[in-house]
Amino acid sequence: MSVNSQYASDLRELKTKQAHLLEEVGDQWRTPEDLFWGINAVFGPFDMDLFTDGDNAHCARYYTAEDNALTQDWTADLNGGKGFANPPYSRPCKDEDGNDMTGMITIMNKAKTERDQGAKLAFLIRGVPSETWWPELADHICFIKGRVGFKLPDWFIPANDKQKASSAGFAGAIAIFDKEWRGGPISYIHRDSLRAQGKKLLDMVEAAAEKKAATYITGTIETRPETAVQGEPIIAPQVSAQIDIEEQIAKVLAEPANSVWPIEVLKLVQKAFEEQPNKFNELRHRVLCEKVNKLRLDNVSDNDILSNLIAMLEKCEPMGVAA
C-alpha cells in the first residue's frame, strides 16, 4: 500500500529536476553492481531489496519510499528468502501517519525484530562500531577490508563540472540477521574479493542473457520465417557447445568465502584435504566447512572431527575421475 510522506514527495521531485548537486543525493547513493553481486554470492541469494528509490533496486522485488519499508512485514514478504539492504542514513523522519520512515536505530531494531520472526537479512552498512545504531545484536558482522565507494543514481544530472562523486569511500561492513546462522560472530573479507566474485556472476548473467536471446531469435526465425527481415543473419544457438550457464551460476553461488568460517573450521578442513589433496573442489570444501562447524558446535573434539572428514573424503572419487 502506498503511503503519503514528505520524504517520498521530495524524492519524486528530486528525481525529476533538470540538474542536481551532490549534496542533494542523500540516501540515494547506489551500491555498485559488482559489490552487490559479490555480497549476493557470499551471503545470498537475495530475493528482495528492502530500501530503494524505485530505480536503484538490485532485486526483482523491492520496497520504495512510497511503500515505507519500516511499515512492511519483511518476514512474510520474504517467505523464507533473504533480504538485502543498503539502508538510508538520513535523520529520522515519519510518514503522514506518524510511522518512522528512516533512522538507523529504528531500522536496526526493525531488522532484529524481523530476524526473531524468521527473516534472513544482510545489511551493507558503514563499518563504524562507535555509532549509536551499531547492530550489536546482529548474528554476524563481516568487516570489508578496503574502503567502499558508492555510485550516483542513474537519474543524477550534474548541475556543473564540480558535481563529480568522490572516490574516497568509507569503511564498510555487512551485518547478518539470521537466527539460523551457525558461523562465527565476526569475519573479514576484502572489497576486491567481493567485487571479483560479483564480476563472475555478472559475466555469467550477461552470457546467459545472450544465450537466451540467441536461442529465442533463432527459434523465431525457424518457426516463423515470415517474421525474419530479408538478409537478417540467423544466430545459431549452439547450445551443446556452450557452457551450461545456469550450472555455473549455481556453482559460484555455492562457493564459500573462507572469511565467513571461523579459522578453527578452516584449519581442520585444510588438514583433511592435505591428507587427500586430489579430492579437493570448492563444493566439497563448503560441505566440509558446514560439517565441521556443526560438529564443533556439538562439542566434538578436533581429532574426532578430523577423522570424520578424512573418512568422508575417502568415499569421494578423485577429481578428474568424477566430481
Side-chain angles (χ1 to χ4, degrees):
M1 181 179 67
S2 179
V3 299
N4 295 316
S5 69
Q6 190 62 47
Y7 183 94
S9 177
D10 289 345
L11 178 55
R12 287 193 297 268
E13 181 179 347
L14 176 64
K15 291 167 66 174
T16 58
K17 289 181 63 173
Q18 295 183 350
H20 304 93
L21 301 175
L22 287 175
E23 63 191 36
E24 297 177 301
V25 177
D27 293 333
Q28 312 314 319
W29 287 93
R30 295 190 60 172
T31 306
E33 293 291 326
D34 56 357
L35 184 65
F36 165 78
W37 282 97
I39 297 171
N40 186 66
V42 177
F43 296 106
F46 299 124
D47 301 272
M48 196 166 191
D49 197 335
L50 304 179
F51 293 91
T52 83
D53 68 7
D55 295 315
N56 61 1
H58 291 282
C59 303
R61 299 171 57 229
Y62 53 88
Y63 298 132
T64 67
E66 284 78 8
D67 297 317
N68 188 0
L70 292 180
T71 66
Q72 304 298 321
D73 187 338
W74 299 353
T75 307
D77 289 343
L78 286 168
N79 192 28
K82 295 181 179 180
F84 169 81
N86 175 4
Y89 289 90
S90 57
R91 292 177 180 273
C93 69
K94 298 180 182 292
D95 62 26
E96 292 187 0
D97 293 325
N99 300 306
D100 289 317
M101 289 196 68
T102 59
M104 284 296 289
I105 291 177
T106 303
I107 291 171
M108 292 294 99
N109 288 340
K110 168 76 168 174
K112 177 61 170 57
T113 298
E114 295 285 349
R115 173 263 186 206
D116 292 344
Q117 295 172 1
K120 295 177 171 60
L121 309 165
F123 278 75
L124 175 58
I125 59 175
R126 294 176 178 171
V128 281
S130 60
E131 291 283 358
T132 55
W133 52 259
W134 183 256
E136 297 285 354
L137 298 179
D139 296 280
H140 182 76
I141 297 290
C142 178
F143 288 96
I144 301 174
K145 296 181 178 180
R147 300 181 76 81
V148 176
F150 290 84
K151 294 174 57 180
L152 287 166
D154 289 343
W155 46 258
F156 183 85
I157 302 171
N160 53 56
D161 292 340
K162 296 181 180 180
Q163 307 309 311
K164 295 181 180 179
S166 168
S167 60
F170 52 79
I174 303 161
I176 302 299
F177 294 87
D178 178 359
K179 65 181 179 181
E180 296 180 6
W181 179 264
R182 293 297 179 268
I186 295 175
S187 66
Y188 299 85
I189 192 168
H190 201 281
R191 171 203 60 203
D192 294 344
S193 175
L194 282 174
R195 295 183 65 180
Q197 292 192 60
K199 182 65 165 53
K200 284 187 194 177
L201 284 182
L202 284 171
D203 288 347
M204 290 178 180
V205 169
E206 182 179 349
E210 291 177 355
K211 171 183 171 182
K212 185 173 182 179
T215 304
Y216 173 76
I217 292 172
T218 304
T220 299
I221 293 173
E222 290 176 349
T223 59
R224 292 181 290 166
E226 70 279 2
T227 64
V229 177
Q230 183 68 29
E232 182 179 10
I234 296 177
I235 305 174
Q238 299 177 342
V239 174
S240 61
Q242 293 190 24
I243 296 173
D244 187 334
I245 302 298
E246 291 76 16
E247 181 179 335
Q248 291 300 311
I249 290 175
K251 179 180 179 181
V252 174
L253 286 173
E255 289 179 358
N258 287 353
S259 59
V260 171
W261 302 103
I263 189 65
E264 295 83 2
V265 170
L266 295 172
K267 285 182 177 179
L268 284 170
V269 173
Q270 181 180 352
K271 286 182 180 178
F273 279 117
E274 286 174 353
E275 294 287 330
Q276 301 186 60
N278 63 338
K279 302 293 183 70
F280 178 87
N281 73 12
E282 294 289 351
L283 185 55
R284 289 174 181 172
H285 186 277
R286 173 175 180 171
V287 170
L288 293 192
C289 283
E290 292 175 346
K291 181 73 173 179
V292 171
N293 200 57
K294 183 177 185 305
L295 292 174
R296 294 190 82 253
L297 290 172
D298 291 338
N299 295 318
V300 178
S301 72
D302 286 355
N303 287 337
D304 287 343
I305 292 174
L306 184 58
S307 298
N308 189 305
L309 298 188
I310 293 173
M312 290 175 67
L313 288 176
E314 285 175 348
K315 298 177 183 179
C316 298
E317 293 287 347
M319 292 305 300
V321 177

